[in-house]
Each structure stands twice: as C-alpha cells, then as structure tokens.
Amino acid sequence: MEIMNSETEKPSSDDSSSTSNSQSQRRVGILYDERMCKHSTPDGDHHPENPNRIRAIWNKLQIARIPQRCVVLNAKEAEDRFILNVHSKKHVNLIKNISSKEFDSRRNKIAAKFNSIYFNEGSSESAYLAAGSVVDVAERVAKGELNSAFAIVRPPGHHAEHNEAMGFCLHNNVAIATSFLLNERRELGIKKILIVDWDVHHGNGTQKMFWKDSRVLFFSVHRHEFGTFYPANDDGFYTMIGEGPGAGYNINVPWENGRCGDADYLAVWDHILIPVAKEFNPDIIIISAGFDAAVGDPLGGCRVTPYGYSVMLKKLMNFAQGKIVLALEGGYNLDSIANSVLACMQVLLENKPINGSSEAYPFESTWRVIQAVRQGLKVFWPTLADELPTTLISQTAPVPNILFLSSDSEVEDDNGAQASEDLEEVLQGIIQPLSNLKVDEDHQDKDNNAYNPWRSELSKIDVWYASFGSNMWKPRFLCYVEGGQVEGMQRPCTGSFDKTPPKEILWRTYPHRLFFGRESSSSWGPGGVAFLNPKSKIQDKAHLCLYRITLEQFNDILCQENVRSYSMTSPLFDLDDLISVASNESNSRELQMGGWYSNVVYLGKEEDIPILTMTCMNSDMESFKSGKHPIVAPCKAYMNTLVRGLVEGGQFSEEEAMAYIQEATKKPL
C-alpha cells in the first residue's frame, strides 16, 4: 500500500475545473499510517474494531483519488507530557508498557478488567500514534498550515477516561489534542474549541475531561435510551450540562430510540448545535467523527447516509473560518464508514455537500428531545429560548413498534433477518433512497436478506441454552423464539428466524452464584435483573432451566439479549467458538458487544450436547463486587416471573422459590 508522504504537496491543478479557484487552493490534510493496524485482537478473533476499518477507508479514498488532492501526512507518536494533561500517570504507564514482553503472560487478564478492551503487542504503538496524529493535524490547522484535516486513526478515543481505557478506546485522542491547543500552544490564539461528537455512542470520556471548562463547548448526539445503550449510564442525558465555569458548555442530545437518520440529525443541527455555535464563536472545531450511526452499521442501529454526514459537516464549516479537524472514532460497517469518510473529504475539498437529498421527517421523539435540550440550556444560550413552531414539530415520521423487543439487558433488535415486509415498507417512508448512494442501498438489501449460509450450518447443531433468569419460565423464553410478550413485559420480542420450539426441557443445578444487579430496566421497571457469576465455586448452587435448541437459535437469542443493531449476516457465536469454549480452561467466550449478557459460558454436556449460558463479563463481575455496578433486588413483576418458572418447572414450591430468590438477593458477593 503506497502512501504519499508529501507534506508540501498542493491540490492538483487537474481538479481545478470542477471547483472555484479559491476552493481548489484549499489545503486539506489527510493522515493515515499502516502502523496503526498493529493493534488487533491477541488471538486473531474477529472484533468490530479491527485494522480493516482504516484500510477500507484508505482504499476508498485512493480509488477516488482523494490523496492526490490533499497534503498527506504520516503519524507521529504523542508525548507523555501532553497525554498527561488529560490522563493519569497510571493510565499512561499502562498503555505505554502493555505491549512489552513484560506483560505477555498477563496482558489478557489485564484487558479483562476493563470494559470492552483488548490488548496485543501492537496496542501501545497504535495508541500513541493515534493520539499524536490528532495532536499533529490539530496544530497544523490551528497554525493555518492547513485549512482543515482528517486524521484516520485507531484505536478510537472518546470513551477513554482519565484513569480508564474502555469501549475500544485507549487514549482519548480528541481530548489530548484539545488540551494541547489550549494549554501548550497558547501563542496560536486558540481560546475556544467546539468539540462535536457525532459517534452513535456518548463521548463519556471527553465530557468528563472538560466538565468544568468554559473554553470547550462539548456537544454529543448519541443513542442513549434512558441509559441502556452503551456506555449504559446517565452521563449522556440532557441534564448533564457541565459544572461551575463549565455549566452550559456540555450539551447532550440523547436519542430515545434507534433508526435515527439524516432528518433527525439535521434537525438537531438546525435547532440546537448551529444556534449555539454562533453564540460560542469557536476558534477551531474538532469532530469526534464516529460513523457507527451510519446506514448498515452492525452496532449503531441508526440510518445516517453519506449525504447526511456531508451536510452536517458543511454546516460546521461556516464557523472558525473553516478550521475543522476530524478524528476517526467508531464505525464498524466497512462500506458505510468508507463512503461516509469519502463524503466528508469531498466537503473539505470542495466546500459543499455531496449530491443527494433527504426528504424524511424526524421522529416525534427527536422533537421531544430537542425541546428538552433547549429548555434546559436556554438560561445559558438565549438563542434557544424561543419555542419551536407547532407546524414544525408536528411533522414527524412514525416509529415502527415492531423494532422493539424486551430483554433483561434492555437491548433493541435491529436485525434485518427478523424484519417483516411491513417493516420494510415503513422504513421506506422514513428514509428516502438516494440515487447516488447505490452502494449503501445494495448493502442494506443484503443485510435485510433473511437467509444466510451460516444459518443452514448452525441449524444442524443442537445446544442446551441454560437460563437462570426470567427465561426459566417457558412462556417468557418462547418470546425469544416465537416473538411476542408476556405479562409484565413492556415491549414485545421479535423472535428468532427459526421459530421451532425447544426439542426438550431439563432442569439442572450448577455451582455458580445467582445474584441481581443494575438499578432498572425498561422491560421490568426499577429493580435488578438476574446474573450468574461466570466463575464457579463449589459452595454455590443455582437452578437453571435447560432448553434444547439449535446453535442458530442460540445466536438469535444472544443477539436479542445483547446487540441493539446487528445484520446477522454472520453469527455472533459460531461453531469455532463452540469448540473453543468447550476446550478452553476458562470455559467462556466474552463477545465484545456491550450488552449485559455478552459472556457465553460453557457448563458441560448433557446427553453429549454442549450446555451454554450467557451472563455478565468478568470485568462487570468485578464492578458488581466493588460497587461500581449496583446490587439491587428484583421488582415484583420480574420476581413473579422467576417464581413461576421455578414452580412450574417443579423445582420449588412458591414459598421455597421466594426464599431462593431472596437468598440470592441478600447474600453478599
């Protein structure tokens, strides 16, 4: 792969015919370095945050001859002294040394202590290059050497906190660059910075680092769903507005549901971000440019098109004399992320959006969130004080109820394999197809194809799914197979592709600790839900209901429990995973999905058929023990479901079942 190392190259005159003279002279930087591909899973397992993400982007840009029109830069490693402006010394030392031979034997154990993190021999170098690269391009744009720039970096950064790597993020690249400009290069005259985080997940790390800083206006639009979407807390709610001098300078726009698209995002731009940006008048804008809200992303479940991203970016170019730095964050569909970055690069080079249109209306929930954000911030930003016209907010798109399912981990299914033809018709009314984006439409058609080759293979393999929570009651479990809901559930399940009921049902006890945690769930209201300690202890005893189903069905249940949006063009847990987990000493496989039940644990065999359950990650288990995650008794509706399962399964009388649950609730971990 050839990379142009031409920091002095100007845009080619070959392109001048398609733009004005001033536009053709725009100096746009682009940074890519293959060395950042060294960060990968230690055992070669598939992971959504993998080196192919930036390779796909770079390949797309090369095909479009974008590098020939840009100043192409290689990566530079960040200096510890600049990283220490936002991260603790303990954190810096860990990331700096984690790839050394000294950590070879314990690297995986250390990673398991964090939330959705992996390390390998290339992680340290990649993390330092990612942070240093964003610092470098930000400094060049601030100096005026470049009009704007895009840093195609990984690992991403916006989840990384002062003393903790999390959510695929090691160093907080954008926060490091922001602090660098404000504190280390004051002579450049950068006194106010607008950070726009359009990644589908809340930028919790960046928010905390500038919580009390009025020099930084942090804006994040993200799926939140009342704290159930990753990172699954209240930090991203619209009431989190900053503190002290920073009060009002932290703006969160939390989506209440998935499927948000161009119309939703542009409504937020027009009625929150752009008016506030005019008042704030930033000296430079840094975008945490995650593209996991894009059409087809397996984790995001939103519907932003490349055209939508191009319009969002163009609106921001009207500020700070067009001084904009984009730093790659998330985005896990290779086609979508490549097309979206290409659209953004075309905007930077040509100062106009790509061709396209968006005729859809925002969801009703979008207007509700916009109004709540404006109401909470109007005391800080007078431009938000006016009420939005009724004629405007009454123009809404319907939310297809069929998308919502109910699970203990409170995730929403975005699985095209389970969507009905009626749903497809509804979606056509929400997202208007764009004639110039055939690649994305074709990809979506493939994603929405119910049949995939892996299903045929895994439908021939039986497993026992061992349930310890609400699924112990058969009618509740069948919601995951056949679809629907039972009493006490507030949302229906979509069901599995194969709706065949279980072939057999057994009850067994295992030496694992049952407990209840998390403060609330949208399915059952306030109260904890059931978890099983992934590690066995001889003194513990848990009753589990075993359902004999296919490995294909197990994948659909695993998806409904954990993944808010997944195309299911490939399984979450395949035959190789099954063989590995059955022979691995740890007897478990942690899937990096962000759900509450993303740890598949192997419990042995029954009738020579593997027994699998799904519970919390080992890192979550430590958080429950330390009190970081709360231990909470279940609510009445949830408890009644557990009791019915245990009683109808012949394990206990009603009184004994209540005592069993109460003991699990009160006994310390």
Side-chain angles (χ1 to χ4, degrees), residues 39-42 47 49-51 111 116-120 123 154 170:
H39 174 62
S40 60
T41 53
H47 190 282
E49 205 297 284
N50 63 72
S116 301
I117 288 293
Y118 66 78
F119 296 122
N120 75 333
S123 298
R154 64 174 295 272
L170 302 188

Side-chain angles (χ1 to χ4, degrees), residues 145-188:
E145 291 181 13
L146 301 172
N147 296 102
S148 55
F150 201 129
I152 306 170
V153 298
R154 64 174 295 272
H158 70 149
H159 290 310
E161 299 191 349
H162 177 69
N163 195 40
E164 183 177 3
M166 64 177 290
F168 312 162
C169 302
L170 302 188
H171 285 324
N172 195 314
N173 309 317
V174 165
I176 294 168
T178 300
S179 178
F180 174 84
L181 293 181
L182 291 173
N183 302 312
E184 304 293 338
R185 291 293 183 269
R186 295 183 180 179
E187 69 276 11
L188 298 179

Side-chain angles (χ1 to χ4, degrees), residues 643-657:
V643 171
R644 294 183 75 170
L646 291 164
V647 173
E648 294 179 18
Q651 301 304 293
F652 294 116
S653 66
E654 185 173 337
E655 293 75 14
E656 291 170 335

Side-chain angles (χ1 to χ4, degrees), residues 436-503:
N436 62 315
L437 298 177
K438 292 295 185 183
V439 173
D440 292 301
E441 291 176 23
D442 291 344
H443 178 83
Q444 279 303 103
D445 289 340
K446 293 175 183 177
D447 279 354
N448 290 333
N449 183 357
Y451 177 77
N452 290 290
W454 68 267
R455 289 190 175 276
S456 177
E457 177 188 2
L458 300 193
S459 68
K460 301 172 185 176
I461 301 168
D462 280 2
V463 297
W464 294 100
Y465 163 53
S467 172
F468 50 83
S470 61
N471 286 337
M472 291 189 296
W473 188 38
K474 183 181 175 181
R476 166 65 178 96
F477 168 73
L478 289 178
C479 294
Y480 275 152
V481 177
E482 301 171 352
Q485 63 190 114
V486 295
E487 182 182 356
M489 292 171 58
Q490 299 176 17
R491 294 178 177 179
C493 297
T494 56
S496 302
F497 180 67
D498 177 5
K499 301 186 183 300
T500 305
K503 302 179 181 73

Side-chain angles (χ1 to χ4, degrees), residues 83 204 424:
I83 301 174
N204 55 289
E424 289 302 309

Side-chain angles (χ1 to χ4, degrees), residues 312-372:
M312 288 155 58
L313 178 56
K314 177 59 182 76
K315 287 176 179 287
L316 292 173
M317 288 183 69
N318 295 324
F319 302 98
Q321 298 178 314
K323 291 184 175 181
I324 294 184
V325 173
L326 293 92
L328 185 66
E329 297 284 2
Y332 309 101
N333 178 305
L334 300 187
D335 288 337
S336 296
I337 193 174
N339 288 328
S340 299
V341 173
L342 173 59
C344 289
M345 287 305 303
Q346 290 171 327
V347 174
L348 296 182
L349 287 164
E350 300 171 13
N351 198 25
K352 63 180 181 180
I354 66 173
N355 293 328
S357 64
S358 182
E359 302 173 6
Y361 293 126
F363 289 127
E364 184 275 332
S365 62
T366 296
W367 289 123
R368 183 166 58 247
V369 169
I370 288 174
Q371 289 176 296

Side-chain angles (χ1 to χ4, degrees), residues 544-592:
L544 277 70
C545 182
L546 278 57
Y547 298 98
R548 184 175 173 180
I549 59 176
T550 67
L551 189 53
E552 177 198 8
Q553 290 175 309
F554 181 81
N555 269 273
D556 285 339
I557 294 169
L558 186 64
C559 175
Q560 293 177 76
E561 276 283 18
N562 291 285
V563 184
R564 300 176 181 279
S565 170
Y566 194 71
S567 65
M568 293 302 280
T569 54
S570 61
L572 297 168
F573 187 87
D574 60 19
L575 183 57
D576 289 338
D577 292 320
L578 180 60
I579 294 172
S580 174
V581 79
S583 59
N584 193 307
E585 291 183 2
S586 67
N587 288 345
S588 68
R589 173 60 61 94
E590 294 190 335
L591 306 173
Q592 303 296 329

